[in-house]
Amino acid sequence: MAFIPADESPWFIKCFRIYTWLLFKRRFSNVWLIQDYHPERTSRTIYYLNHHSWWDGLIPFLLNEFRFHQQARAMMEDKQMQRYPFFRKIGAFSISREDPKSSIRSLRYAVKSLLRPSASLYIYPEGKITPPGSNLIFKNGLSWLGKQVSDIDIVPIGIYMHTIRSDKPELHLSVGSPVPVEPKLSNEERSRLFEQKLEAILSDLQQTAGFDDAGFERFI
């Protein structure tokens, strides 16, 4: 399957921004946020997230448009890109889990994207949707990317949905602090470090979301 690059459309992004806000407001009873990371104008950032639902494809767009305001792009499975081609217009580009050569091209494209001013990249290191509560097992793409660009922040974002208080789901998002990484670590050691940081965030969300709103702000 051919590589699909991003093809951002400022007009489409402006319209889709409003649509996305209204969509989340209609489908969720509340959207809550903890934000420990606030990028500077000069920041370059890789955000990595857990991947448990269809909504994960829209959450990066929502966060960037209303909080981070960076030049954002995101990796998306090529099959999903073909099914939802409009994601190109908001900065998504394809990656194939079945074609190693194509994956390398996607990773190189990601590096070039991160060299832009105030650039950011959203990545789901598991590479596929996984059941909620399952152990995080990252591929090495995130670790490899982190080595390619100097002065970059690598930031975990936890996503957790529940219906504890209502038949309509609530969405809790937790943006962590940049993960400090020692240069001497191998890709496997880096991956495990990133897994541990996101696992800690998800564990906190599972214990507090729906029971204690302290520390959260109402995002939508």
Side-chain angles (χ1 to χ4, degrees):
M1 192 176 297
F3 172 71
I4 305 172
D7 184 25
E8 290 94 336
S9 166
W11 175 86
F12 185 85
I13 289 173
K14 184 176 181 179
C15 295
F16 198 68
R17 182 179 193 264
I18 299 170
Y19 168 79
T20 303
W21 178 269
L22 293 174
L23 182 64
F24 275 80
K25 193 170 184 64
R26 185 171 73 248
R27 295 294 182 88
F28 293 95
S29 60
N30 288 297
V31 179
W32 301 90
L33 176 66
I34 294 176
Q35 185 178 350
D36 291 336
Y37 176 72
H38 301 267
E40 304 290 339
R41 289 186 177 181
T42 57
S43 297
R44 289 187 174 93
T45 315
I46 298 175
Y47 300 97
Y48 68 97
L49 309 86
N50 56 297
H51 196 10
H52 298 326
S53 79
W54 178 89
W55 289 98
D56 301 340
L58 294 177
I59 288 170
F61 180 78
L62 190 75
L63 286 170
N64 190 68
E65 287 298 301
F66 292 97
R67 289 294 171 139
F68 300 143
H69 308 294
Q70 294 171 288
Q71 290 200 72
R73 282 184 173 166
M75 286 188 185
M76 188 172 184
E77 185 183 13
D78 52 0
K79 294 177 183 178
Q80 294 299 312
M81 287 283 291
Q82 285 197 326
R83 185 176 180 183
Y84 303 106
F86 69 86
F87 275 103
R88 291 186 68 194
K89 300 298 182 182
I90 61 174
F93 59 93
S94 70
I95 186 167
S96 173
R97 295 190 289 114
E98 300 171 355
D99 184 352
K101 289 185 178 179
S102 177
S103 295
I104 292 172
R105 179 177 180 180
S106 298
L107 290 170
R108 289 174 176 167
Y109 184 87
V111 171
K112 290 182 180 180
S113 296
L114 286 168
L115 296 178
R116 299 174 301 159
S118 188
S120 66
L121 175 70
Y122 292 82
I123 183 172
Y124 297 92
E126 294 170 284
K128 59 182 179 180
I129 293 179
T130 59
S134 58
N135 293 331
L136 298 177
I137 302 176
F138 290 173
K139 298 183 181 301
N140 287 331
L142 173 60
S143 298
W144 184 85
L145 283 170
K147 291 182 177 180
Q148 307 307 309
V149 183
S150 60
D151 298 323
I152 193 162
D153 296 328
I154 302 179
V155 177
I157 300 178
I159 303 171
Y160 184 69
M161 301 178 194
H162 66 85
T163 53
I164 294 171
R165 298 187 283 201
S166 170
D167 60 342
K168 201 173 183 180
E170 289 185 82
L171 172 62
H172 284 69
L173 305 172
S174 181
V175 181
S177 300
V179 179
V181 182
E182 295 182 12
K184 66 180 181 180
L185 295 180
S186 67
N187 278 346
E188 291 73 18
E189 290 170 329
R190 285 170 174 249
S191 291
R192 186 54 193 147
L193 175 62
F194 296 142
E195 290 168 0
Q196 290 171 344
K197 294 297 183 180
L198 186 50
E199 285 170 349
I201 288 174
L202 292 173
S203 177
D204 288 343
L205 285 176
Q206 291 166 5
Q207 293 179 39
T208 58
F211 298 100
D212 184 359
D213 296 332
F216 291 95
E217 59 176 302
R218 198 184 297 271
F219 186 24
I220 295 177

